[in-house]
Amino acid sequence: MESQYPITRVEFHRRDGQLLAGGLMNGQVALWDMRTGSTNIGISNIRSGHRNFILSLEWIQSKTNSEFLTGSSDGQIMWWDTRYLSEPTDVLLLDLLKTDVEDEPEWLQWGRSHGVTCIDYHFSIPIRFMIGTSTGHVFDGNRKGKTVLEKIPYTYKCHYGPVYSVRRNPAFLKTFLTIGDWQAKIWSEEAKESQTMWTKNYDMRLTDGQWSNSKPSVFYTARADGFMDCWDVLQQQLKPILSIKVSDNRLNCISCHGDGALLAIGDEGGNTRVIEMNDWFVTPGPFDRARLTAMFERETKREKLIEAKIREHKTKMQNKLPDRVDNSKAKVELAIKEIERELAEVVDRVCNNPIDEMTENDIMEEFKTEE
């Protein structure tokens, strides 16, 4: 493929393996058809694209099978149609604090937006998508929404730093994996305030994560020190069951083949390595699905109970707070009235006595006596 600008993201079409969509460094998107040569067959208008380089690109389900969406650190999600590639068909600015003020400055909206770091999309739920952001939040999106709050109905505060990867479990779509900071976390859509499972805190940063496409209890994480960790939540959760030294360079991304046997891992040196996993990581056991279902349900129920207890405690504290505030206000008001009364008495004494009969020392003595 040839491009005038560096290509930051590229994805094959789900059905047509000869068609590729790519995001460029300058915010444009381009389309290539390998049957017609290396030159792109379409490119967007630079003024209609992103304001920063594209970090995520996903083909989405549509009637024409010609649509995809992109995300960038400029805080925008854009939907594109390959038939009309000059400009996006829809744009979503991730400004969740947007007001109804019509003349609000544009720079204020851009300053409040969340930069997009990764997107996850599944064809089995075509109107839903998940967005990882540079602020550590994960947004659960809905394409059918009209406003920003309708398109982003749920928000998860997952990490302190950028979210490098968000992936739904291929067998349990309500469960998703996030990678950020020094941890990998597993979340459930039914418990939105806290994660259901999490790994230990690493000494180095995690850069990417991926579920196994064949064994739903297995996921892989890529590390900045060149290691890849293999986890199986049914076996143990305190440490990985296998760690592999893949490269001397930082690992940047990891992808799992459709049958789950092959892993492609890219590093900072520009190398891509393909690893064939043992059958133990590929083939699930006869009772794995039932055990994993019970585990996810148990952990989700536990987190929901904890969230309910926390909300109940907060409600009790809020109900008690006004009483304390009212009492303190009443005490302050009484103290002020008492001081005003005493001051009025002193002023009255001063006013009722002849000025020449009371010296300054006498007045000070009156104040001291009152104190």
Side-chain angles (χ1 to χ4, degrees):
M1 297 187 301
E2 295 179 358
S3 174
Q4 184 179 358
Y5 301 98
I7 302 173
T8 57
R9 189 75 179 183
V10 64
E11 289 288 341
F12 278 100
H13 192 278
R14 181 177 175 85
R15 294 186 176 180
D16 188 353
Q18 302 295 321
L19 203 62
L20 295 97
L24 307 184
M25 180 71 76
N26 64 344
Q28 291 178 282
V29 296
L31 187 69
W32 290 269
D33 192 336
M34 298 174 62
R35 291 164 294 204
T36 61
S38 58
T39 306
N40 65 70
I41 60 175
I43 190 169
S44 64
N45 190 328
I46 190 170
R47 295 185 178 181
S48 303
H50 290 278
R51 299 191 176 191
N52 208 339
F53 58 91
I54 295 174
L55 292 173
S56 299
L57 188 151
E58 295 286 343
W59 288 95
I60 61 177
Q61 184 175 342
S62 63
K63 294 181 179 179
T64 59
N65 292 317
S66 60
E67 296 184 12
F68 62 93
L69 61 85
T70 57
S72 172
S73 56
D74 63 355
Q76 292 186 107
I77 300 290
M78 292 186 176
W79 283 264
W80 305 84
D81 192 326
T82 56
R83 299 172 298 172
Y84 317 103
L85 204 58
S86 59
E87 60 183 19
T89 58
D90 193 9
V91 178
L92 171 63
L93 180 64
L94 298 181
D95 176 17
L96 273 64
L97 301 177
K98 187 176 181 180
T99 62
D100 296 330
V101 180
E102 296 181 358
D103 58 346
E104 187 177 32
E106 186 177 356
W107 61 266
L108 192 59
Q109 299 179 24
W110 289 102
R112 293 196 303 252
S113 62
H114 299 255
V116 179
T117 55
C118 54
I119 298 176
D120 182 69
Y121 179 84
H122 271 263
F123 280 81
S124 55
I125 41 177
I127 65 172
R128 300 280 298 279
F129 56 93
M130 303 202 77
I131 307 168
T133 67
S134 58
T135 57
H137 293 84
V138 169
F139 298 143
D140 191 355
N142 188 336
R143 175 72 188 277
K144 296 299 182 181
K146 301 297 183 181
T147 64
V148 176
L149 295 180
E150 290 178 354
K151 288 185 176 181
I152 308 293
Y154 303 114
T155 302
Y156 304 84
K157 177 57 180 175
C158 297
H159 298 278
Y160 296 105
V163 178
Y164 297 113
S165 176
V166 53
R167 303 284 184 182
R168 289 186 184 272
N169 189 299
F172 301 88
L173 294 178
K174 289 186 177 181
T175 302
F176 60 94
L177 171 73
T178 63
I179 303 294
D181 303 330
W182 298 269
Q183 270 188 318
K185 299 180 180 181
I186 298 176
W187 300 75
S188 172
E189 289 186 353
E190 298 178 0
K192 296 179 172 57
E193 297 181 11
S194 59
Q195 64 273 13
T196 57
M197 301 180 191
W198 56 92
T199 66
K200 64 177 182 179
N201 281 311
Y202 282 86
D203 296 331
M204 73 296 298
R205 287 189 178 274
L206 301 181
T207 57
D208 199 6
Q210 177 72 52
W211 290 101
S212 170
N213 288 326
S214 58
K215 192 172 183 179
S217 63
V218 172
F219 67 90
Y220 307 97
T221 58
R223 291 160 40 178
D225 59 353
F227 278 84
M228 180 194 70
D229 288 341
C230 309
W231 294 80
D232 190 333
V233 295
L234 288 178
Q235 299 299 321
Q236 60 181 3
Q237 301 174 14
L238 297 178
K239 60 181 181 179
I241 56 178
L242 178 65
S243 294
I244 303 174
K245 178 68 173 179
V246 179
S247 172
D248 293 330
N249 299 316
R250 167 194 171 105
L251 300 183
N252 286 336
C253 53
I254 182 171
S255 180
C256 184
H257 191 266
D259 61 7
L262 300 177
L263 292 176
I265 305 171
D267 65 14
E268 197 172 36
N271 304 307
T272 300
R273 293 173 173 82
V274 178
I275 300 176
E276 183 176 2
M277 301 304 296
N278 185 278
D279 186 66
W280 191 89
F281 293 95
V282 179
T283 306
F287 305 106
D288 279 5
R289 189 177 184 87
R291 292 171 57 199
L292 192 60
T293 301
M295 174 181 286
F296 284 157
E297 290 179 352
R298 182 183 70 245
E299 295 299 323
T300 301
K301 184 178 180 180
R302 179 176 64 87
E303 291 300 326
K304 290 171 69 175
L305 289 174
I306 294 174
E307 291 175 5
K309 287 292 184 181
I310 293 175
R311 285 195 296 268
E312 181 182 354
H313 179 70
K314 288 182 178 179
T315 303
K316 289 181 179 179
M317 295 299 294
Q318 289 176 355
N319 292 335
K320 292 180 180 179
L321 185 60
D323 296 334
R324 293 201 302 270
V325 173
D326 292 341
N327 291 337
S328 62
K329 287 183 178 179
K331 291 179 180 179
V332 171
E333 291 177 357
L334 289 174
I336 292 174
K337 289 181 179 180
E338 185 67 17
I339 293 172
E340 290 177 349
R341 184 186 62 79
E342 294 176 356
L343 184 60
E345 291 179 357
V346 173
V347 172
D348 184 68
R349 290 178 186 177
V350 173
C351 294
N352 291 335
N353 291 314
I355 297 178
D356 56 349
E357 294 182 4
M358 294 192 68
T359 63
E360 184 178 356
N361 291 332
D362 295 331
I363 296 174
M364 293 301 298
E365 287 295 326
E366 288 286 345
F367 275 99
K368 290 180 180 179
T369 304
E370 293 295 333
E371 292 177 357

Coordinates of all heavy atoms in Angstrom, one line a residue, residues 1 11 21 88 95 101 111 120 135 147 152 185 216 228 249 252 279 283 290 299 320 324 326 362 370:
M1 N 0.8 -1.2 0.0 CA 0.0 0.0 0.0 C 0.9 1.2 0.0 O 1.9 1.3 0.7 CB -0.9 0.0 1.2 CG -1.9 -1.1 1.3 SD -3.1 -0.9 2.6 CE -2.0 -0.8 4.0
E11 N -7.2 -1.9 8.7 CA -8.0 -3.0 9.0 C -8.6 -3.6 7.7 O -9.0 -2.9 6.8 CB -9.2 -2.6 9.9 CG -8.8 -2.3 11.4 CD -8.4 -3.5 12.2 OE1 -8.8 -4.6 11.8 OE2 -7.8 -3.3 13.2
A21 N -9.2 -0.5 4.9 CA -9.4 0.9 5.3 C -8.3 1.2 6.3 O -7.9 0.4 7.2 CB -10.8 1.1 6.0
P88 N -17.3 12.4 6.8 CA -17.9 11.4 7.7 C -19.5 11.5 7.6 O -20.0 12.6 7.4 CB -17.4 11.7 9.1 CG -17.0 13.1 9.0 CD -16.5 13.4 7.6
D95 N -17.7 15.1 24.6 CA -17.8 16.1 25.6 C -19.1 15.8 26.4 O -20.2 16.2 26.0 CB -17.9 17.5 24.9 CG -18.1 18.6 25.9 OD1 -17.9 18.4 27.1 OD2 -18.5 19.7 25.5
V101 N -26.0 25.9 25.6 CA -25.6 27.3 25.2 C -25.2 27.2 23.7 O -24.3 26.5 23.4 CB -24.5 27.8 26.1 CG1 -24.1 29.2 25.6 CG2 -24.9 27.8 27.5
G111 N -11.7 21.3 24.8 CA -10.9 21.2 26.0 C -11.6 20.2 27.0 O -10.9 19.6 27.8
D120 N -13.6 -0.9 20.8 CA -14.0 -2.3 20.6 C -15.4 -2.4 20.1 O -16.3 -1.7 20.5 CB -13.9 -3.0 22.0 CG -14.2 -4.5 21.8 OD1 -13.4 -5.2 21.3 OD2 -15.3 -5.0 22.3
T135 N -8.2 9.6 29.5 CA -8.4 10.0 30.9 C -8.7 8.8 31.8 O -9.0 9.0 33.0 CB -9.6 10.9 31.0 OG1 -10.8 10.3 30.4 CG2 -9.3 12.2 30.2
T147 N -28.5 12.4 21.3 CA -27.6 13.4 21.9 C -26.3 12.7 22.4 O -26.2 11.4 22.3 CB -28.3 14.1 23.1 OG1 -28.6 13.1 24.1 CG2 -29.5 14.8 22.6
I152 N -23.7 8.0 24.8 CA -22.8 7.5 25.8 C -23.6 7.3 27.1 O -23.5 8.2 28.0 CB -21.6 8.4 26.0 CG1 -20.9 8.7 24.7 CG2 -20.6 7.8 27.0 CD1 -20.2 7.6 24.0
K185 N -7.8 -5.4 34.2 CA -9.1 -5.5 35.0 C -10.2 -6.1 34.2 O -10.3 -5.9 33.0 CB -9.5 -4.1 35.5 CG -8.4 -3.5 36.5 CD -8.9 -2.1 36.9 CE -7.8 -1.5 37.8 NZ -8.3 -0.2 38.3
P216 N -12.7 -19.1 26.5 CA -13.1 -17.8 27.1 C -12.5 -17.4 28.5 O -12.6 -16.3 28.9 CB -14.7 -17.9 27.2 CG -14.9 -19.4 27.2 CD -13.8 -20.0 26.4
M228 N 5.2 -11.5 27.5 CA 3.8 -11.8 27.4 C 3.3 -12.7 28.4 O 3.9 -13.8 28.7 CB 3.5 -12.4 26.0 CG 2.0 -12.6 25.8 SD 1.6 -13.7 24.3 CE 2.2 -15.3 24.9
N249 N 12.6 -5.6 23.1 CA 12.0 -4.3 23.0 C 10.6 -4.3 23.7 O 10.1 -5.4 24.1 CB 11.8 -3.9 21.6 CG 13.2 -3.8 20.9 OD1 14.1 -3.3 21.4 ND2 13.2 -4.4 19.6
N252 N 4.1 -3.7 21.9 CA 3.0 -2.7 21.7 C 1.6 -3.2 21.5 O 0.7 -2.6 21.9 CB 3.4 -1.9 20.4 CG 4.6 -0.9 20.7 OD1 4.8 -0.5 21.8 ND2 5.3 -0.5 19.6
D279 N -2.2 -26.6 23.0 CA -3.6 -27.0 23.0 C -4.3 -26.7 24.3 O -5.5 -26.5 24.3 CB -3.7 -28.5 22.6 CG -5.1 -28.9 22.4 OD1 -5.7 -28.4 21.4 OD2 -5.7 -29.7 23.2
T283 N -8.1 -25.3 23.6 CA -9.3 -26.1 23.7 C -9.9 -26.0 25.1 O -9.2 -26.3 26.1 CB -9.0 -27.6 23.4 OG1 -8.3 -27.6 22.1 CG2 -10.2 -28.4 23.4
A290 N -19.6 -23.6 32.0 CA -20.5 -23.6 33.2 C -19.8 -23.0 34.4 O -20.3 -22.2 35.2 CB -21.0 -25.0 33.5
E299 N -19.1 -13.2 41.1 CA -18.3 -12.0 41.3 C -19.1 -10.7 41.0 O -19.0 -9.7 41.7 CB -17.1 -12.0 40.4 CG -16.1 -13.1 40.8 CD -15.5 -13.0 42.2 OE1 -15.3 -11.8 42.6 OE2 -15.3 -14.0 42.8
K320 N -28.2 12.5 57.8 CA -27.8 13.0 59.1 C -27.1 14.4 58.9 O -27.1 15.2 59.8 CB -26.8 12.1 59.7 CG -27.4 10.7 60.2 CD -26.3 9.9 60.8 CE -26.9 8.5 61.3 NZ -25.9 7.7 61.9
R324 N -27.0 18.2 61.5 CA -25.7 18.8 62.1 C -25.6 20.2 61.6 O -25.2 21.1 62.3 CB -24.5 17.9 61.7 CG -24.5 16.5 62.3 CD -23.1 16.0 62.4 NE -22.6 15.9 61.0 CZ -22.7 14.8 60.2 NH1 -23.4 13.8 60.7 NH2 -22.1 14.8 59.0
D326 N -27.9 22.3 60.5 CA -28.9 23.1 61.1 C -28.6 23.5 62.6 O -28.7 24.6 63.0 CB -30.3 22.5 61.1 CG -30.8 22.3 59.7 OD1 -30.3 23.1 58.8 OD2 -31.7 21.5 59.4
D362 N -12.8 54.6 81.3 CA -14.0 54.1 81.9 C -14.7 53.2 80.9 O -15.3 52.2 81.2 CB -14.9 55.2 82.3 CG -14.3 56.0 83.5 OD1 -13.5 55.4 84.3 OD2 -14.6 57.2 83.6
E370 N -18.0 43.5 80.8 CA -18.9 42.7 80.0 C -18.3 41.4 79.6 O -18.9 40.3 79.5 CB -19.4 43.4 78.8 CG -20.3 44.6 79.2 CD -21.6 44.2 79.8 OE1 -22.0 43.1 79.6 OE2 -22.1 45.0 80.6

